[in-house]
Every structure is written in C-alpha cells, then in structure tokens.
Amino acid sequence: MNPTIELLNSHRSIRKYKSQPLPPGALESFIKAGQAASSSNHVQACSVIRVQDPSKRAQLAHLAGDQAYIEQAAEFLVFCADMKRNTEAAASTGIEPTLGMTEQLIVATVDVALFAQNVAIAAESEALGIVYIGGIRNNPSAISELLNLPEQVYPVFGMCIGYPDHQPEVKPRLPLEAVLMQDSYQEHEQAEQVAYYDQQMSEYYQARTGGNKTSNWSQSMAPMFGGKLRPHMRDFLIAQGFTMK
C-alpha cells in the first residue's frame, strides 16, 4: 500500500503520553505543514496557541472537561479561527470591512480543520500520537479570556501531541458504501449500511473493553442529537464578532 495512505488509515486517538519531549524544531515543522494546507481564497484564517504554562494547561484541562492528557502531552495546541488578521489587512487598503458574515465563519472554521489535520498527519508521520480536544468549546468564553483571544477569533478545538504510551486499536469507520455515492444521494441504502456498521462497532467495543461496554454507533450518536449540544456557542460566537449575517 502507498505509505501515505497506510499512515492515514492507521490513525488512532492517543490519550496516554510518555513524558518524552518532542525533538527541537519538530513542532515548528508540523505547523509549517499545517500552513501548507488548502485555504479558501488564501485567507489562511488560522492561528495556533501553543500552551506550555503548566497553570494554563491545568485550567484548560479542567475547562475542557477534566481531560488529564491535556496536561500530560508533550505539546498542547489550541487552534483558532482567526478573521481579525484578514479584516485588518483588508482595512489597511482603505476599505471598510464587512464583518460577521456567516460565510466568513464557515471559511475560517474549514481553514482551521484543514490546517490542523495537516499538523496531525505530520506528527503521526514521526511516530507521535495526537488527539483532538473538542471540549475546548465547553467553556469558550473562559478559554478565550485565558488565552487573550480578541474579537473575530474563536477557539475551534485543541490538540494534544506526544509520544504514545498505549497502542489502542484503530476504530472501524462507516462502510465505504455508506459515504461514497454515485451521482446522487443514496438515501435508501443508509439504513442497511448503518445496521451493518452498528454490528461492527458493537464487536469493537466488546473486544476493546473485555466485554464491559455494550454499545454501537447509533447509540453513541444519541447524546449528540438527543438534546441541545453546547447551546452557548451561538451567543459566544456573536459576542466574538461572528454575528452570522
């Protein structure tokens, strides 16, 4: 198999890390790889906060849902959607920038995701492990204050990077037939594919936990869609200048 595709297919979320630091210059090379990602209209609307202060790490771990590996990982990064730099650059040309457009929010968020995934792949290519921390959005106002984020900037997620101290199995993904469709959306095939995948995930959880977890993919979706997930995000984004016009 192509080694790049093999690396991509081997991704696991790593939540236990050795105390070993990254080699000098490694993080910078990963960030440069992130900068090489595609960017809509070349806006490059991503800024990355590298958090090394132990006190801030501890606060972030708590604010993100008491995730201890934020403190343990060799590196912890907060990836921010950043339209401040762009609007100020545009204003320097003499125009009056239009702020708060929904498309600006989408572009900035997509840019961050593409940037971060390049960073993740670069790190994994050097035998490091990563885990994304969506819990950063649990308390975005407090985290923005802690990191001194101005208007037109918001924290999208965090990322731990370090040498793995465990080797979890690769988690099965949805069947290819469920996500790759020909010419139009294949709605009638989804139920069958999800049922097949639920069985796979049930077996995976049973094997991973020694029979202590009885669940499947559909059941794992219930918390996300069975209630209002992070309802504070809309008001927070508006307060940060992303008014979604």
Side-chain angles (χ1 to χ4, degrees):
M1 183 184 291
N2 177 300
T4 301
I5 295 174
E6 187 174 6
L7 173 66
L8 291 167
N9 287 336
S10 69
H11 168 73
R12 296 87 46 83
S13 292
I14 300 299
R15 294 180 173 87
K16 294 180 182 178
Y17 295 94
K18 298 177 181 178
S19 58
Q20 181 180 352
L22 270 59
L27 179 64
E28 291 78 6
S29 72
F30 302 157
I31 297 300
K32 287 182 178 179
Q35 289 185 280
S38 297
S39 173
S40 180
N41 289 303
H42 207 48
V43 297
Q44 304 174 77
C46 180
S47 291
V48 186
I49 312 296
R50 179 191 193 187
V51 183
Q52 294 183 296
D53 183 316
S55 174
K56 287 190 175 183
R57 285 265 201 122
Q59 292 178 72
L60 288 168
H62 176 63
L63 291 168
D66 295 316
Q67 300 189 62
Y69 27 93
I70 291 176
E71 295 184 77
Q72 297 164 356
E75 297 286 349
F76 184 67
L77 309 175
V78 179
F79 289 83
C80 302
D82 185 352
M83 277 295 181
K84 178 178 173 59
R85 181 168 51 233
N86 307 78
T87 54
E88 290 182 350
S92 73
T93 69
I95 68 148
E96 183 65 32
T98 300
L99 304 178
M101 300 300 294
T102 301
E103 178 66 5
Q104 293 171 350
L105 174 63
I106 293 171
V107 164
T109 304
V110 170
D111 262 23
V112 170
L114 296 173
F115 187 119
Q117 188 62 7
N118 265 24
V119 172
I121 295 163
E124 290 176 337
S125 76
E126 295 289 346
L128 293 158
I130 71 100
V131 64
Y132 283 94
I133 307 295
I136 286 294
R137 299 189 302 279
N138 289 355
N139 292 284
S141 295
I143 286 173
S144 295
E145 183 176 354
L146 181 66
L147 300 180
N148 196 32
L149 302 185
E151 285 192 6
Q152 297 296 312
V153 179
Y154 88 92
V156 184
F157 45 68
M159 182 188 290
C160 297
I161 304 177
Y163 288 97
D165 200 25
H166 68 148
Q167 295 296 331
E169 294 294 322
V170 174
K171 188 178 289 187
R173 267 26 182 197
L174 282 161
L176 182 64
E177 295 79 6
V179 297
L180 178 61
M181 306 180 191
Q182 182 70 36
D183 295 326
S184 63
Y185 195 91
Q186 310 294 313
E187 184 174 2
H188 64 282
E189 298 179 4
Q190 289 297 310
E192 180 182 351
Q193 295 296 340
V194 168
Y196 171 76
Y197 184 54
D198 278 343
Q199 181 60 37
Q200 277 193 308
M201 287 303 299
S202 178
E203 293 171 0
Y204 166 80
Y205 286 133
Q206 286 280 308
R208 192 181 76 173
T209 65
N212 292 322
K213 182 173 181 177
T214 304
S215 186
N216 58 35
W217 184 72
S218 293
Q219 290 171 329
S220 70
M221 293 300 99
M224 177 168 290
F225 298 100
K228 296 181 178 180
L229 182 66
R230 297 187 180 117
H232 55 267
M233 281 302 298
R234 182 176 183 274
D235 288 343
F236 164 73
L237 288 169
I238 290 172
Q240 286 296 105
F242 295 94
T243 51
M244 291 171 278
K245 300 173 185 174

